[in-house]
């Protein structure tokens, strides 16, 4: 069965960086885009970007450009999201989420569908001085 | 940025009743809209994508309709496990989510 298991909660000071991991199992890790979505306490959902685990290619939401870096290690089927220059309003639960569609079909590269069928359990990142 | 407005903010119903949740987009998103269910302390769960396609394993009591700017999620007969927060999400132009509708037990 598909599982995405994320790293544990973090507490960081303003200006620091945080790196969250997401270990995938139960499917071919390189076959699906991985997205990152965050949710501030009591708030709605906010898309941050994606990584293509096969190529390492990324796309970030403009809001996070310059502060977020998404990487992966295919040898251990793990995706990472690093957010730098943390502020108090970055306090949120961060989720990894698998794209609904395969990244390749019949040898043709496909763009993500931007719907998310499997999610990690979430990682709470608290930014506080 | 496309703004998604969900209504009502809170819906109070009893098990067995029909639930109708609305999502309105600030501009057309064609059929590029999804619905998610989220329970406290859990990640969202994909219910519907492309406005009317049920995701794998989603019960038939969940259905989606609409196109353009107006969308509806209908739960035909509420089960106790359906009481949760529901979000809509569009992928037509960047990615945005609605603010959510809380479905609570009356």
């Amino acid at each position: 069965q598909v599982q995405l298991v994320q790293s544990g909660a973090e507490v960081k000071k303003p200006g620091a960086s945080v790196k969250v991991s997401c270990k995938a199992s139960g499917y071919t890790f390189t076959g699906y885009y991985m997205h990152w979505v965050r949710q501030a306490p009591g708030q709605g959902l906010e898309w941050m970007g994606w990584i293509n685990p096969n190529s390492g290619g990324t796309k970030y939401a403009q809001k996070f450009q310059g502060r977020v870096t998404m990487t992966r290690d295919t040898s251990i089927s793990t995706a990472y999201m690093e957010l730098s220059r943390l502020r108090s309003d970055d306090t949120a639960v961060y989720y990894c989420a698998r794209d609904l569609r395969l990244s390749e079909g019949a040898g043709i590269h496909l763009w993500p569908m931007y719907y998310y069928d499997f999610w990690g359990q979430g990682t709470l990142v608290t930014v506080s001085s | 940025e496309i703004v998604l407005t969900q209504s009502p903010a809170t819906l109070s119903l009893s098990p067995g009743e029909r639930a109708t949740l609305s999502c309105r987009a600030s501009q057309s998103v064609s059929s590029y809209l999804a619905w998610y269910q989220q329970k406290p302390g859990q990640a969202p769960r994909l219910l519907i994508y492309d406005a009317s396609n049920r995701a794998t394993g989603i019960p038939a009591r969940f259905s989606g309709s609409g196109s353009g700017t107006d969308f509806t999620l209908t739960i035909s007969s509420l089960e106790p496990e359906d009481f949760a927060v529901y979000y809509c999400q569009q992928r037509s132009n960047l990615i945005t989510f609605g603010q959510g509708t809380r479905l609570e037990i009356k």
Side-chain angles (χ1 to χ4, degrees):
Chain A
Q1 72 285 19
V2 173
Q3 278 195 301
L4 301 175
V5 178
Q6 298 183 221
S7 48
E10 303 262 14
V11 179
K12 296 291 183 180
K13 293 194 183 302
S17 297
V18 68
K19 190 171 186 176
V20 179
S21 68
C22 170
K23 183 171 177 60
S25 62
Y27 73 99
T28 301
F29 175 65
T30 52
Y32 294 81
Y33 291 87
M34 189 72 78
H35 300 257
W36 290 86
V37 177
R38 75 177 187 178
Q39 186 171 35
Q43 302 300 311
L45 298 156
E46 183 173 34
W47 177 76
M48 299 181 69
W50 57 250
I51 183 167
N52 180 338
N54 190 34
S55 66
T58 55
K59 180 179 176 66
Y60 305 137
Q62 188 166 9
K63 174 176 179 176
F64 300 101
Q65 290 272 5
R67 281 210 305 145
V68 70
T69 304
M70 296 177 187
T71 57
R72 91 293 189 214
D73 184 338
T74 57
S75 69
I76 55 172
S77 300
T78 299
Y80 302 91
M81 186 284 299
E82 183 170 21
L83 189 62
S84 63
R85 302 194 301 278
L86 290 167
R87 307 184 293 254
S88 57
D89 61 357
D90 290 319
T91 293
V93 175
Y94 289 77
Y95 294 102
C96 59
R98 194 186 81 163
D99 195 84
L100 181 61
R101 182 164 64 189
L102 281 161
S103 58
E104 282 195 28
I108 298 172
H109 170 78
L110 299 172
W111 292 107
M113 207 167 177
Y114 292 97
Y115 299 132
Y116 319 114
D117 60 352
F118 288 94
W119 296 63
Q121 82 278 17
T123 297
L124 175 62
V125 176
T126 302
V127 183
S128 174
S129 54
Chain B
E1 176 182 298
I2 295 177
V3 177
L4 298 178
T5 302
Q6 293 187 240
S7 61
T10 302
L11 184 59
S12 300
L13 294 170
S14 301
E17 291 192 290
R18 181 184 187 90
T20 303
L21 288 68
S22 174
C23 178
R24 176 163 288 178
S26 58
Q27 63 190 78
S28 176
V29 299
S30 185
S31 294
Y32 298 132
L33 189 111
W35 291 93
Y36 296 85
Q37 175 194 71
Q38 188 177 33
K39 297 179 180 179
Q42 296 185 16
R45 174 193 182 197
L46 178 65
L47 301 174
I48 302 287
Y49 66 94
D50 282 348
S52 61
N53 295 300
R54 263 192 309 277
T56 301
I58 301 304
R61 63 180 182 274
F62 291 92
S63 63
S65 63
S67 66
T69 60
D70 290 300
F71 299 86
T72 301
L73 174 69
T74 302
I75 310 171
S76 59
S77 179
L78 285 165
E79 298 287 341
E81 63 267 27
D82 297 337
F83 292 92
V85 178
Y86 291 83
Y87 293 98
C88 57
Q89 174 234 326
Q90 66 81 23
R91 69 174 189 99
S92 174
N93 185 339
L94 305 179
I95 310 299
T96 54
F97 292 84
Q99 83 282 10
T101 288
R102 180 177 306 277
L103 178 56
E104 64 177 27
I105 299 177
K106 188 173 183 179

